[in-house]
C-alpha cells in the first residue's frame, strides 16, 4: 500500500494541470482580488478583518477544496471505468488502500496550495499573524479538507467517467460561491445568508477566520463540518462497497 501511495503522490506532483489549478490558481486569484485593495482598513461584516486577511483564508480553503474534491472524483471515476480499480482488486492491496492512496496524494496538493497562499499573503499584502496562528490555520484548513476529500470519493464512485466532470464542477462551484469563498457571504441577501450558514464550505472557512480573530471556533460551524463529514464518509463507504460487490 505504501508503494501505491508514493506512486499517487508522484503522479500529483508531476501533473502540471493539477498543480496549476489546485496550487497556483488560488494564489493568483488572491493576488487578482486583493492586489490593489487596502491592506489596513477593516472589511464590513468581518469583525475587523482586512480584505487580504479575509481572502487569505478563503483562497487557502478554496485551494484545498480544489485539490481534494476535483482530484479524487475525476481520477476515481475514470480509473473505475478503464478497469484499473478492478485490476488492483486482484492484487494483495487492501480494499481501502486505493482510496487512502488517492486521498493522501490529494492532501499533498492541498497542503501545497494552503502554504503558497499564506506565503503570498504575507509577502505581497503584509498579512501578519502570530506563529501559533499560522500553524493553527494550516492544521485547521488541512484537516478540514478531509470533509471534501470524502465527498470527492463519493462522487468518484457514484458517477461515470463521462458524467463525473460536470457533476463535480456543479458541486465545486456551488459550494465555493454559496459558501462565501469568493466573496463575503454578508453581501448575500438575507435568505441566502441563512442558507450559506449551513453549508460545509461556509463552516470550513469560518474555522480559519476564528483563528485569525483569536476566537474559539463556533459550535455551529464545528457541528456542520462534523455532520457533513459523517454524511460524505458514510456515502463514500456505501458506494465503495456497492462498487466492489458489483465487480
Amino acid at each position: 500500500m505504501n508503494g501505491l501511495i508514493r506512486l499517487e503522490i508522484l503522479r500529483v506532483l508531476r501533473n502540471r494541470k493539477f498543480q496549476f489549478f489546485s496550487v497556483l490558481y488560488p494564489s493568483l486569484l488572491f493576488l487578482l482580488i486583493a492586489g490593489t485593495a487596502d491592506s489596513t482598513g477593516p472589511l464590513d461584516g468581518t469583525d475587523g478583518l482586512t480584505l487580504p486577511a479575509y481572502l487569505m483564508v478563503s483562497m487557502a480553503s478554496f485551494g484545498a477544496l480544489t485539490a481534494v474534491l476535483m482530484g479524487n472524483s475525476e481520477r476515481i471515476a475514470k480509473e473505475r471505468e478503464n478497469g484499473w480499480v478492478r485490476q488492483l482488486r486482484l492484487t494483495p492491496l487492501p480494499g481501502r488502500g486505493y482510496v487512502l492512496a488517492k486521498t493522501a496524494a490529494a492532501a499533498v496538493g492541498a497542503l501545497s496550495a494552503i502554504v503558497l497562499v499564506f506565503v503570498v499573503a504575507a509577502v505581497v499584502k503584509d498579512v501578519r499573524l502570530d506563529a501559533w496562528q499560522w500553524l493553527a490555520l494550516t492544521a485547521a484548513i488541512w484537516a478540514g479538507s478531509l470533509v471534501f476529500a470524502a465527498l470527492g470519493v463519493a462522487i468518484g464512485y457514484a458517477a461515470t467517467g463521462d458524467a463525473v466532470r460536470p457533476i463535480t464542477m456543479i458541486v465545486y462551484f456551488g459550494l465555493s460561491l454559496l459558501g462565501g469563498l469568493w466573496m463575503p457571504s454578508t453581501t448575500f441577501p438575507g435568505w441566502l445568508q441563512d442558507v450559506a450558514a449551513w453549508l460545509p464550505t461556509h463552516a470550513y472557512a469560518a474555522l480559519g477566520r476564528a483563528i485569525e480573530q483569536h476566537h474559539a471556533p463556533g459550535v455551529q460551524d464545528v457541528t456542520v463540518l462534523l455532520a457533513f463529514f459523517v454524511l460524505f464518509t458514510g456515502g463514500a463507504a456505501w458506494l465503495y462497497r456497492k462498487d466492489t460487490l458489483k465487480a
Side-chain angles (χ1 to χ4, degrees):
M1 185 167 68
N2 291 338
L4 181 61
I5 291 175
R6 286 195 296 270
L7 174 63
E8 290 294 340
I9 291 175
L10 286 175
R11 287 179 63 187
V12 165
L13 294 177
R14 291 172 180 172
N15 188 328
R16 294 181 180 179
K17 182 178 177 181
F18 179 86
Q19 290 296 317
F20 175 78
F21 284 104
S22 299
V23 180
L24 295 178
Y25 184 51
S27 294
L28 294 175
L29 273 181
F30 173 85
L31 289 174
L32 180 65
I33 300 172
T36 58
D38 181 11
S39 301
T40 58
L43 188 64
D44 292 341
T46 62
D47 197 17
L49 288 179
T50 63
L51 178 61
Y54 182 93
L55 280 176
M56 182 182 75
V57 167
S58 293
M59 290 299 105
S61 301
F62 177 63
L65 169 67
T66 303
V68 298
L69 178 59
M70 300 292 286
N72 277 339
S73 62
E74 290 199 32
R75 289 195 188 93
I76 290 174
K78 290 179 179 179
E79 289 179 1
R80 282 176 52 240
E81 193 167 78
N82 65 26
W84 174 241
V85 175
R86 191 179 303 110
Q87 289 296 320
L88 287 176
R89 292 194 183 115
L90 301 177
T91 71
L93 180 73
R96 66 185 183 281
Y98 174 75
V99 173
L100 287 176
K102 291 295 184 189
T103 303
V108 170
L111 182 60
S112 301
I114 294 166
V115 171
L116 184 58
V117 170
F118 288 173
V119 170
V120 170
V123 172
V124 179
K125 298 302 295 181
D126 200 34
V127 175
R128 292 291 179 262
L129 299 173
D130 295 334
W132 72 267
Q133 288 177 294
W134 289 116
L135 293 174
L137 273 176
T138 303
I141 296 175
W142 198 25
S145 69
L146 292 176
V147 176
F148 306 100
L151 175 59
V153 172
I155 294 174
Y157 276 102
T160 63
D162 290 332
V164 66
R165 175 161 294 184
I167 291 173
T168 303
M169 294 299 283
I170 290 171
V171 173
Y172 170 65
F173 285 114
L175 287 176
S176 298
L177 178 60
L178 297 178
L181 298 187
W182 292 350
M183 65 185 71
S185 57
T186 52
T187 62
F188 298 165
W191 67 270
L192 193 53
Q193 291 185 40
D194 294 337
V195 173
W198 295 99
L199 292 178
T201 37
H202 184 278
Y204 182 38
L207 293 183
R209 295 188 186 112
I211 293 171
E212 285 186 309
Q213 296 164 336
H214 296 81
H215 295 166
V219 174
Q220 177 178 318
D221 296 324
V222 174
T223 302
V224 167
L225 275 181
L226 289 176
F228 274 100
F229 180 69
V230 171
L231 176 64
F232 294 154
T233 302
W238 180 77
L239 289 164
Y240 169 79
R241 287 195 297 270
K242 181 181 177 182
D243 186 74
T244 303
L245 293 174
K246 183 173 63 177

